């Protein structure tokens, strides 16, 4: 696992995954569009739900700026289907069960909880421009106010 952090100005790594409906989704599908690619640990947990709902509630604002949203977690397609349905999420979620995409984006790493170390998703959001270049990186995500956090940063 690489330890180099992706940063603004880097070319976003190509990815290929399956969304909640088993449809292939890849970075090149978004060529010519802006993409918010966000990595989160687990469907239906408090922080992840707050983050997804923030992105849902601000989705129209993001779309008005030409941005698409795609979430990535190690959950299954079925789990993603339930999460989308339960919270009426208007964007696609990738089932990165082998965490290959998270590793490419340096969003998989060591975490600690209750003094125990384990590997998991490092909550991270990337804003990728029309040419596939990363313009913004959020690794200190305010889950409840994530859209405001993104809009504030991209409007600087």
């Amino acid at each position: 696992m690489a330890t180099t952090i992706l940063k603004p100005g880097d070319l976003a790594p190509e990815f290929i995954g399956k969304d909640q409906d088993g449809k292939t989704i890849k970075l090149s599908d978004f060529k010519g569009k802006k993409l918010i690619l966000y990595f989160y640990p687990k469907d239906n947990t408090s922080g992840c739900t707050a983050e997804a709902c923030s992105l849902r509630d601000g989705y129209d604002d993001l779309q008005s700026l030409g941005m698409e949203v795609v979430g990535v977690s190690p959950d299954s397609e079925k789990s993603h289907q339930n999460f989308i349905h339960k919270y009426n999420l208007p964007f696609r979620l990738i089932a990165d069960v082998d965490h290959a995409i998270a590793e490419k984006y340096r969003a998989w790493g060591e975490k600690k909880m209750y003094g125990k170390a384990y590997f998991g998703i490092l909550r991270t959001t990337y804003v990728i421009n029309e040419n596939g270049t990363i313009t913004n990186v959020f690794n200190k995500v305010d889950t409840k106010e994530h859209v405001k956090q993104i809009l504030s940063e991209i409007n600087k």
Side-chain angles (χ1 to χ4, degrees):
M1 182 176 63
T3 56
T4 326
I5 296 170
L6 295 174
K7 59 193 178 312
D10 288 348
L11 201 58
E14 179 60 75
F15 65 80
I16 298 174
K18 297 282 184 188
D19 73 3
Q20 69 279 356
D21 299 320
K23 294 182 179 160
T24 299
I25 182 171
K26 52 191 185 293
L27 178 63
S28 56
D29 293 341
F30 299 94
K31 189 166 177 65
K33 299 177 186 169
K34 296 176 189 154
L35 176 64
I36 294 171
L37 186 67
Y38 82 101
F39 293 85
Y40 66 100
K42 189 155 182 51
D43 293 340
N44 290 303
T45 56
S46 60
C48 297
T49 298
E51 183 177 16
C53 290
S54 173
L55 290 162
R56 174 201 65 201
D57 295 347
Y59 189 67
D60 288 343
D61 292 333
L62 296 169
Q63 287 228 296
S64 73
L65 297 171
M67 302 181 123
E68 257 319 314
V69 175
V70 173
V72 183
S73 88
D75 294 301
S76 68
E77 293 168 18
K78 181 73 173 154
S79 177
H80 283 339
Q81 286 175 352
N82 294 337
F83 191 47
I84 286 170
H85 180 72
K86 185 174 183 179
Y87 294 101
N88 198 28
L89 304 178
F91 44 82
R92 296 165 77 184
L93 300 175
I94 296 176
D96 189 25
V97 293
D98 63 356
H99 46 82
I101 298 170
E103 287 187 38
K104 277 186 174 186
Y105 278 82
R106 315 303 193 261
W108 182 262
E110 189 173 62
K111 301 170 76 167
K112 288 190 178 181
M113 184 181 288
Y114 306 118
K116 294 193 182 230
Y118 66 98
F119 281 86
I121 290 284
L122 306 172
R123 189 182 306 275
T124 310
T125 298
Y126 292 96
V127 179
I128 302 167
N129 74 11
E130 302 87 345
N131 302 316
T133 301
I134 295 168
T135 60
N136 302 85
V137 179
F138 300 88
N139 51 21
K140 289 184 171 54
V141 173
D142 180 346
T143 56
K144 291 181 180 163
E145 301 289 339
H146 197 33
V147 167
K148 286 182 183 172
Q149 187 181 26
I150 291 168
L151 292 173
S152 169
E153 197 60 35
I154 64 172
N155 287 326
K156 283 186 177 176

